[in-house]
Amino acid sequence: MRRFLLFLLLPFPALAQPQLALPLDCEIGTTCLIEDYVDNDPRIGAQRDFACGINSRDGHKGTDIALLSFDALGTAVTAAAPGTVVRTRDSMADDRLMKGVTTETACGNAVLVDHGAGWQTMYCHLALGSVRVARGQSVERGTPLGAVGLSGQTNHPHLHFGVSHDGETIDPFRPMATGTCDETPTETLWSDPPSYTQTGLITAGFSNHIPNLDTVRDGSARVTQATADAPVVVYAHAAYAQHGDILRLSATGPDGQIFEHDQILKSPQISILRAYGRKAPATGWPSGDYLGEATLTRKGKVIAHRFAHVTVP
């Protein structure tokens, strides 16, 4: 009887946890990066990632794996672990402006996979027409599910990867204590845990002038529509950058690249703001969409990245 009781006390449910592979065909730090983690701060209006850092968004319930280029749209999304497909959606348009997206359709085109024992994974923002599996189909780790698109609530190419157990959000980086954080976490669902850095880009955007930190924080610096005669400025607000990190700010428009400017960060503060821009040409900026990027690298690896958009009517 004593042996039987001891067996019952063993943490055998942990054996049913899926071991996850990266569900996107990319290389962290080279062609993609983890942009946002599960929010482990239950307070409204606050956020923190699993390691008590800033790399999350208030109420975020998944891991966002972002591609570093719009040219990478169509990158394969694969099953993170063996399981059975229980639901798919493949009917939403790829639309950076997110027209008609609701809270019910925010995930966009998607695949839901059941791994048994209450564990499920969700793969969101897939390209229209790319879903390659059907309900009831068995999948193995690495089975192609679809491709990265712009469906649902997204304006840049990324995979929102959600993990749940019995319907509750689980952070794969801290599965046994989701909702809390630890600066030196040890538990993980990843078979090969992706690297983590505390450094992050809080925001990046377009402006028509060199902004200050207050206007960036309250959002008044950002412009989404610009006049043809106004300067084009890209700004980035970073946190916990290190000495020697390189911040690249760039902008392209209908006629090609406007600028690409690298800054080596020397003795940066916990919070830093940098901006760079160009005055309008004499003929004015051409009408169309403009893409800005802020890229932070360390020893040749991308550690943070943000896109920005503005339109000249």
Side-chain angles (χ1 to χ4, degrees), residues 224-306:
T224 56
Q225 290 218 349
T227 58
D229 60 349
V232 167
V233 175
V234 175
Y235 62 83
H237 181 197
Y240 298 102
Q242 293 183 6
H243 180 87
D245 288 351
I246 298 174
L247 176 64
R248 171 170 292 176
L249 300 177
S250 65
T252 56
D255 290 343
Q257 188 172 87
I258 300 171
F259 61 79
E260 183 177 85
H261 179 72
D262 289 351
Q263 302 180 39
I264 300 175
L265 304 181
K266 299 179 179 180
S267 302
Q269 304 299 311
I270 291 176
S271 173
I272 64 165
L273 174 67
R274 295 289 187 270
Y276 191 82
R278 286 272 191 266
K279 292 182 178 180
T283 55
W285 300 113
S287 298
D289 294 328
Y290 291 70
L291 178 67
E293 293 185 62
T295 306
L296 197 59
T297 59
R298 179 178 298 160
K299 297 180 179 178
K301 291 288 188 180
V302 178
I303 58 172
H305 179 267
R306 294 284 179 182

Side-chain angles (χ1 to χ4, degrees), residues 106-239:
C107 184
N109 300 319
V111 174
L112 178 65
V113 177
D114 187 273
H115 304 284
W119 291 92
Q120 293 186 330
T121 53
M122 177 72 86
Y123 309 76
C124 299
H125 310 312
L126 306 184
L128 177 63
S130 74
V131 174
R132 299 177 58 179
V133 292
R135 181 180 179 182
Q137 180 177 335
S138 294
V139 296
E140 299 299 325
R141 176 186 292 189
T143 297
L145 303 178
V148 174
L150 290 173
S151 64
Q153 190 172 335
T154 180
N155 61 7
H156 65 286
H158 78 280
L159 172 70
H160 175 93
F161 176 64
V163 180
S164 64
H165 183 250
D166 291 338
E168 297 294 325
T169 296
I170 297 294
D171 187 339
F173 290 87
R174 190 166 166 75
M176 303 307 292
T178 299
T180 65
C181 70
D182 187 341
E183 293 182 1
T184 56
T186 56
E187 297 171 341
T188 179
L189 293 183
W190 300 102
S191 55
D192 183 15
S195 59
Y196 169 83
T197 177
Q198 183 186 33
T199 306
L201 284 169
I202 299 170
T203 189
F206 276 103
S207 190
N208 53 20
H209 62 282
I210 301 296
N212 60 44
L213 196 53
D214 288 339
T215 59
V216 167
R217 283 172 169 163
D218 67 24
S220 60
R222 184 185 301 271
V223 296
T224 56
Q225 290 218 349
T227 58
D229 60 349
V232 167
V233 175
V234 175
Y235 62 83
H237 181 197

Side-chain angles (χ1 to χ4, degrees), residues 39 55 193 280:
D39 180 14
N55 296 313

